[in-house]
Amino acid sequence: DAGITQSPRHKVTETGTPVTLRCHQTENHRYMYWYRQDPGHGLRLIHYSYGVKDTDKGEVSDGYSVSRSKTEDFLLTLESATSSQTSVYFCAISEGTSGKNIQYFGAGTRLSVL
Amino acid sequence: RKEVEQDPGPFNVPEGATVAFNCTYSNSASQSFFWYRQDCRKEPKLLMSVYSSGNEDGRFTAQLNRASQYISLLIRDSKLSDSATYLCVWGLYNFNKFYFGSGTKLNVKP
């Protein structure tokens, strides 16, 4: 299994509170991603990173911010959580070289915003 | 139009059956293709990459048709343990971005 750890694995929070999810990898892969998965929508990209301090938006980035200060850590922050952000969040990593751009996923974080 | 379209199913098949899923993609610049498997309440896991020439891994065969922009997955001799959701994925090398289908649910019954 790829060395990806997400924390926390489960979280319940209230509307309006800030929430930070952490993704930690031990593979030294260049690319890291945050997705959310909701019924009927599949996996949707929130933000991704292509190196330390290099990040870009995905298709559903509103209400989310990210930071990557070290190769191994990619943080996802919900500045002020809303009920629409209740979802399962997956972190993924990719080596990033041509022919080896397979993604590997963490176990996910189940977030409930009440 | 969605980047990736899949029939959500469920496909309910008996053990030992052969089942096939198709997936269409919208971007002709797509460069890499994959099938992932996702069990209930678990993370997606790579099942197989899909190559232009088609590829086989045991009971699983994947095909790519660039002209019609679809990929397929064939599962022979279905096992109970094959019950899962199968996600179709395509990616762009240059941007290392990936696009996922919503998945096709397979139920293999005794």
Side-chain angles (χ1 to χ4, degrees), chain B residues 21-41:
Chain B
F21 309 135
N22 283 339
C23 158
T24 59
Y25 60 93
S26 60
N27 192 328
S28 59
S30 306
Q31 295 172 309
S32 55
F33 303 87
F34 311 91
W35 283 102
Y36 278 72
R37 170 196 170 123
Q38 186 172 25
D39 294 296
C40 188
R41 301 178 74 84

Side-chain angles (χ1 to χ4, degrees), chain A residues 67-108:
Chain A
S67 66
R68 192 168 178 199
S69 59
K70 298 185 289 185
T71 298
E72 58 266 35
D73 289 325
F74 192 31
L75 304 181
L76 176 71
T77 297
L78 291 64
E79 302 290 346
S80 177
T82 67
S83 58
S84 64
Q85 293 177 311
T86 292
S87 187
V88 180
Y89 291 85
F90 287 103
C91 173
I93 64 174
S94 171
E95 188 170 348
T97 55
S98 179
K100 292 185 178 180
N101 63 337
I102 294 171
Q103 283 194 316
Y104 300 95
F105 286 83

Side-chain angles (χ1 to χ4, degrees), chain A residues 26-42:
Chain A
T26 58
E27 306 296 323
N28 200 36
H29 282 1
R30 178 183 175 193
Y31 284 80
M32 299 186 74
Y33 308 78
W34 277 108
Y35 293 90
R36 60 178 290 173
Q37 187 174 37
D38 305 287
H41 287 280

Side-chain angles (χ1 to χ4, degrees), chain B residues 56-110:
Chain B
E56 187 173 310
D57 182 2
R59 298 182 293 108
F60 299 85
T61 300
Q63 297 279 351
L64 167 63
N65 185 317
R66 284 192 181 272
S68 301
Q69 295 187 200
Y70 77 84
I71 66 173
S72 63
L73 177 67
L74 182 76
I75 305 175
R76 289 180 298 277
D77 189 22
S78 299
K79 312 291 185 190
L80 294 176
S81 58
D82 293 334
S83 296
T85 297
Y86 291 84
L87 307 176
C88 169
V89 186
W90 67 265
L92 288 170
Y93 284 154
N94 289 348
F95 303 101
N96 248 268
K97 292 178 73 172
F98 300 83
Y99 299 88
F100 287 77
S102 300
T104 297
K105 187 171 176 58
L106 172 65
N107 295 319
V108 182
K109 302 189 181 296

Side-chain angles (χ1 to χ4, degrees), chain A residues 10-49:
Chain A
H10 299 86
K11 186 168 183 67
V12 180
T13 191
E14 294 185 348
T15 299
T17 60
V19 176
T20 296
L21 309 183
R22 180 180 183 239
C23 179
H24 178 79
Q25 61 146 330
T26 58
E27 306 296 323
N28 200 36
H29 282 1
R30 178 183 175 193
Y31 284 80
M32 299 186 74
Y33 308 78
W34 277 108
Y35 293 90
R36 60 178 290 173
Q37 187 174 37
D38 305 287
H41 287 280
L43 283 154
R44 292 183 292 174
L45 182 65
I46 304 171
H47 283 279
Y48 69 103
S49 169

